[in-house]
Amino acid sequence: MITFIYSVLPVLMLGATAYWARGGRAARTPGAWSMVLFIGCFAVAFGTYSPLGHGLAEAIASHFAHVVSNSATLAAGAAVMSFLLVLNAGVQNARRRMRPRLAALAATVTVMVITFLLTPPSGRWAEDVGGHHVEPLTMTVYSITYSVYLSFAVADCLVQTWIHARTAPRTSLRVGLRMTALGCLLTLTYTAYKIYDAIATFTDTGGSRHYARCTSAITPIGCAMGVTVPALAVLLILIGLTMPVIVWKLRQVQRVRWERQAIEDLDPLWAAIVDAVPHVVLTLDGGSQTSDYQLHRRVIEISDGILSTFGHRSPQVSSRAKREIPLDTRDRAARVEAAVLLDALDGRRTGRPEEFEPAPLAAGTTERDSDLRAEVEWLRSVAKALRSTGRPEPQGSVR
């Protein structure tokens, strides 16, 4: 189970790292490179526990995998601090506030490397299953230095996460940040245990290194606190910070799909209007041609066309349509509007005199003014009703 966790997690993290580093045509989100470093560092940290990563590190020096893992973990903590500071304080303020944190990181890693090199290989994280092992002072300093900086970094992340979670505009972001906060709490539990374990092992009064090797993810207690808890913490932080972005991307894809379908559905209505009042077509300005822009433009042109033919809206056509369309018809209002609008377009095209008292615009027109989605859905229902009349599409429409 332990081997599985530490073999799969690095692969997942490398995939997430590639996703964040991939970029695209759009400008990068502020803090994107911090996320790349965060996930990449944790991929390295957990990769040293896999058989392949551990073997590569141990080929350099005995127990060197611990140094690589711990250093990468601290770098990941600094990276996530940077990401959250960007969210809460902006890029410039985040850079200024990260300078002392990076200096502290460099000092911590330096102390860790020096104490590691000063410790004989036999005293580095030695395991003594049958008896006792008193840890050298250098390794105690190593463990406490590592745990104290990690505690500071995680506590800082917890504060920044909680601040942003209270004001986050999207539900997925609030959920993700609270999940990250939970991961930070688990990490603080891990660092507190590490400090206790270092002191207890140095004084020979306890410590997880007096236990046998891990038999499962939760036994003995040293495995639960030293292996499973940090793995769960990293997983929660990784999901918490990545999930909101993925959800946002999926919603963007869904929105673009809806916009393109809406443009296609509105085409018959737009063509009929442009055939009668071609001046409503907006001049091309060479700007963005995204689906969002095109849909806004189409709705504006259709709305302008409806207003341009207001004087030709026949009350008699409206009354006749209301009589002929059953009250229980689901799209009754849209079908009535389609009938009135088609007649008004004919009147505008043929030069028919305007009505003394034109039929009013469809109910809810004013309420939909500030709601694009509601207006689009209404116009789609009118376009659908127009298609159901079997009227051929105007041949002189401007496209």
Side-chain angles (χ1 to χ4, degrees):
M1 179 65 179
I2 299 298
T3 301
F4 175 77
I5 291 175
Y6 285 108
S7 296
V8 172
L9 269 181
V11 176
L12 295 177
M13 292 177 185
L14 287 175
T17 302
Y19 170 81
W20 278 90
R22 177 178 57 87
R25 296 181 180 178
R28 284 187 176 276
T29 303
W33 282 116
S34 296
M35 280 299 296
V36 171
L37 292 174
F38 162 64
I39 304 173
C41 287
F42 264 134
V44 172
F46 280 83
T48 59
Y49 289 90
S50 66
L52 177 60
H54 184 80
L56 292 174
E58 291 299 298
I60 299 175
S62 176
H63 297 290
F64 189 65
H66 283 81
V67 180
V68 175
S69 176
N70 294 159
S71 300
T73 299
L74 297 184
V80 76
M81 268 196 294
S82 173
F83 178 79
L84 293 171
L85 283 173
V86 168
L87 289 182
N88 290 329
V91 176
Q92 297 302 323
N93 286 332
R95 288 175 179 172
R96 176 179 54 81
R97 295 170 64 176
M98 276 303 297
R99 291 190 187 103
R101 291 168 168 83
L102 292 176
L105 171 63
T108 301
V109 173
T110 300
V111 171
M112 289 165 53
V113 171
I114 291 174
T115 53
F116 173 80
L117 295 175
L118 290 176
T119 306
S122 60
R124 300 169 182 167
W125 297 284
E127 295 180 0
D128 190 348
V129 178
H132 295 285
H133 170 73
V134 179
E135 189 173 71
L137 176 61
T138 51
M139 293 313 298
T140 301
V141 172
Y142 176 103
S143 298
I144 292 178
T145 302
Y146 162 77
S147 301
V148 167
Y149 179 85
L150 185 58
S151 298
F152 162 74
V154 171
D156 198 4
C157 292
L158 179 60
V159 171
Q160 297 298 327
T161 301
W162 191 254
I163 290 173
H164 196 67
R166 294 166 58 188
T167 58
R170 292 184 286 123
T171 301
S172 61
L173 186 55
R174 290 194 297 271
V175 172
L177 289 173
R178 284 170 183 153
M179 190 178 295
T180 302
L182 178 59
C184 290
L185 288 175
L186 287 178
T187 306
L188 287 175
T189 303
Y190 162 73
T191 56
Y193 173 78
K194 289 286 289 183
I195 293 173
Y196 156 78
D197 187 53
I199 296 174
T201 305
F202 174 69
T203 58
D204 198 25
T205 57
S208 66
R209 299 184 189 94
H210 296 175
Y211 292 93
R213 288 183 176 275
C214 297
T215 56
S216 73
I218 59 175
T219 57
I221 187 64
C223 293
M225 297 300 296
V227 177
T228 305
V229 167
L232 289 176
V234 171
L235 192 59
L236 285 171
I237 294 173
L238 175 64
I239 294 175
L241 293 179
T242 305
M243 178 194 67
V245 179
I246 295 176
V247 170
W248 182 81
K249 288 286 187 182
L250 292 176
R251 286 180 176 174
Q252 289 296 101
V253 171
Q254 185 180 34
R255 179 183 61 82
V256 170
R257 185 179 301 169
W258 173 80
E259 289 169 349
R260 290 175 177 172
Q261 185 61 51
I263 292 171
E264 181 180 338
D265 292 344
L266 292 176
D267 189 67
L269 176 59
W270 176 83
I273 287 175
V274 171
D275 184 66
V277 279
H279 70 270
V280 300
V281 177
L282 300 174
T283 303
L284 289 174
D285 56 7
S288 172
Q289 295 300 315
T290 63
S291 58
D292 177 65
Y293 171 85
Q294 292 175 350
L295 181 60
H296 273 80
R297 174 178 172 142
R298 182 130 311 179
V299 170
I300 291 171
E301 291 172 344
I302 291 174
S303 299
D304 287 349
I306 292 174
L307 292 176
S308 296
T309 60
F310 178 77
H312 296 281
R313 294 174 66 89
S314 170
Q316 293 78 18
V317 173
S318 177
S319 298
R320 183 170 65 250
K322 290 177 180 177
R323 289 194 305 269
E324 294 176 353
I325 301 173
L327 290 174
D328 58 350
T329 303
R330 183 178 178 181
D331 59 345
R332 184 171 185 267
R335 292 176 63 180
V336 170
E337 176 64 17
V340 174
L341 182 58
L342 282 175
D343 179 75
L345 292 172
D346 281 338
R348 176 61 182 260
R349 189 184 302 104
T350 59
R352 188 179 69 204
E354 293 187 354
E355 301 288 338
F356 180 73
E357 291 186 4
L361 296 173
T365 299
T366 303
E367 290 78 359
R368 293 190 300 269
D369 281 347
S370 57
D371 190 341
L372 176 66
R373 181 173 284 268
E375 182 66 15
V376 169
E377 293 301 334
W378 163 249
L379 293 177
R380 287 175 77 177
S381 64
V382 174
K384 181 179 179 181
L386 184 146
R387 289 196 302 270
S388 67
T389 63
R391 179 188 175 115
E393 183 177 308
Q395 297 301 312
S397 60
V398 180
R399 292 189 177 275

